[in-house]
Amino acid sequence: MVIAKARAIDGPNKSFHAAEIKRRDLDLHDVLIEIKYAGICHSDIHTAHGEWGAVNFPLVPGHEIAGIVTDVGTEVTKYKVGDRVGVGCMVDSCGDCENCHKGEEQFCLNGHVPTYAGVDKYGEPTQGGYSTHIVVTEDFVLRIPDNISLDDAAPLLCAGITTFSPLNKWGAGPGKKVAVIGLGGLGHMAVQIAHAMGAEVTVLSQTLSKKEDGLELGADQYYATSDPATFETLAGHFDLIINTVSAKIDINAYFGLLTLDGTLVNVGAPGEPLSVNVHYLIGQRRSFAGSLIGGIRETQEMLDFCAQHNIVPKIEVISADQIDEAYERVLASDVKYRFVIDISTM
């Protein structure tokens, strides 16, 4: 058993504090990872603040994990000590249901095991990446390509796959017009990935304050949604819209920007429901969909795609004692574009 140093929170509106957590002894197919970097996702904040339902505290968040293998179970075949690896939003699933067999473990019919705020197959609460070590079954460990640094790799394990998956499924590519709502942690990844896939990419943001960044990341156009003219100019323009915003917005206003048979996919997860007027969908046979991360196979595909196209997030590396401040800055949209914790500061 490994005693890991961590940063934990004891309840909503509490501050993070130093803690120690126990990581289980290695089972036959387990991998022990020394965590080097952990990204801060808006999901961490929603969960820590109790906005997505009851949470068993104390809680160690973090599901954007990059590190080094330091030990393996006796029957592990996929990894060895010294390998550069990552862990994303889930650490296990039943492995037996239809969706697991399809490689869609995130939709496990018996419920996947989240990296934190869940319960593992041993009946123990899962704790995440704001810690020095983690034990994960080898089937839920990802290989980080050599040309992606570990600090850059961490946000790919959630922000990367969360945007890659719907762009992949709905066929973003040459000849397709794709819009990304919001240029934040998710949005700035969506722009890069959609551009690399060959799509025409437009950013829809509240203001033009990040326009230069958006164009540098690969956007062809950038519009301010605070300007009513935007919705007139772009009416019926897009084949696919990815909404990355984790706050309640007037989603109906964006349906009018879709073409016939166009789709708006929600990947941001606000703490309160969105109100949808189906009449905006019926008229042009438009679709409103949701997407949740990706399976392990697709997540590895995303990592390899990013390595091939030199796609990395824009990050700000912080120390472990800056987590509370980082949460406040995320809520104030004061980060470009992902905080990553240097776990050596634990």
Side-chain angles (χ1 to χ4, degrees):
M1 180 179 295
V2 171
I3 304 297
K5 295 180 180 179
R7 286 296 189 274
I9 187 169
D10 290 333
N13 303 316
K14 302 289 186 179
S15 296
F16 280 89
H17 60 85
E20 290 186 345
I21 56 175
K22 295 178 180 179
R23 296 301 192 184
R24 67 175 183 263
D25 290 329
L26 293 182
D27 210 335
L28 298 177
H29 293 278
D30 280 343
V31 174
L32 174 63
I33 300 166
E34 181 182 352
I35 301 173
K36 298 296 185 181
Y37 294 95
I40 291 179
C41 177
H42 208 134
S43 299
D44 300 347
I45 301 175
H46 283 306
T47 305
H49 289 180
E51 295 169 353
W52 285 351
V55 177
N56 290 323
F57 293 99
L59 174 72
V60 177
H63 57 207
E64 297 181 337
I65 299 168
I68 304 292
V69 174
T70 58
D71 200 1
V72 297
T74 57
E75 295 187 10
V76 168
T77 60
K78 296 181 179 180
Y79 301 99
K80 65 183 185 304
V81 172
D83 283 349
R84 305 166 75 252
V85 296
V87 178
C89 301
M90 54 185 173
V91 291
D92 209 349
S93 71
C94 78
D96 292 325
C97 72
E98 179 181 358
N99 290 348
C100 285
H101 283 301
K102 290 179 179 178
E104 301 277 16
E105 299 93 345
Q106 75 275 32
F107 301 123
C108 175
L109 295 175
N110 294 300
H112 73 260
V113 179
T115 305
Y116 65 86
V119 178
D120 65 22
K121 62 185 178 184
Y122 304 96
E124 297 296 325
T126 57
Q127 302 287 10
Y130 298 6
S131 59
T132 55
H133 297 80
I134 191 169
V135 174
V136 182
T137 183
E138 65 176 324
D139 287 341
F140 283 77
V141 177
L142 287 306
R143 189 174 302 280
I144 296 175
D146 290 339
N147 66 330
I148 301 179
S149 65
L150 292 179
D151 53 349
D152 283 336
L156 298 179
L157 277 306
C158 178
I161 185 57
T162 295
T163 51
F164 178 89
S165 186
L167 289 167
N168 189 31
K169 177 175 176 55
W170 275 275
K176 291 294 183 73
K177 296 177 180 179
V178 175
V180 177
I181 304 175
L183 192 70
L186 293 177
H188 92 291
M189 292 305 308
V191 169
Q192 294 183 80
I193 293 168
H195 174 73
M197 288 177 170
E200 176 190 293
V201 185
T202 299
V203 175
L204 303 174
S205 185
Q206 280 189 310
T207 71
L208 299 178
S209 64
K210 300 177 184 177
K211 181 176 181 178
E212 184 176 344
D213 287 355
L215 297 178
E216 287 181 359
L217 290 165
D220 298 286
Q221 303 178 88
Y222 199 110
Y223 286 86
T225 56
S226 57
D227 182 357
T230 291
F231 294 91
E232 298 176 8
T233 301
L234 299 176
H237 185 75
F238 299 108
D239 302 292
L240 176 64
I241 300 176
I242 306 295
N243 177 27
T244 70
V245 177
S246 291
K248 187 176 182 180
I249 63 173
D250 180 11
I251 201 70
N252 296 295
Y254 295 89
F255 292 139
L257 306 184
L258 291 168
T259 61
L260 174 67
D261 290 326
T263 301
L264 191 157
V265 182
N266 223 82
V267 295
E272 51 187 322
L274 298 177
S275 178
V276 174
N277 186 334
V278 297
H279 291 285
Y280 291 104
L281 301 176
I282 291 172
Q284 292 293 313
R285 204 164 57 208
R286 296 163 174 146
S287 298
F288 183 39
S291 182
L292 176 68
I293 53 172
I296 297 300
R297 182 174 61 238
E298 188 177 40
T299 304
Q300 188 65 60
E301 179 184 347
M302 175 275 304
L303 287 168
D304 296 339
F305 180 89
C306 288
Q308 179 184 354
H309 293 277
N310 297 312
I311 296 172
V312 293
K314 289 185 176 291
I315 63 173
E316 181 176 335
V317 178
I318 63 171
S319 64
D321 60 5
Q322 293 177 292
I323 296 173
D324 290 310
E325 177 189 350
Y327 274 29
E328 293 175 3
R329 288 180 56 191
V330 169
L331 294 174
S333 298
D334 180 27
V335 55
K336 291 186 175 180
Y337 283 91
R338 204 67 157 184
F339 284 117
V340 174
I341 305 164
D342 180 352
I343 300 301
S344 70
T345 64
M346 285 286 171

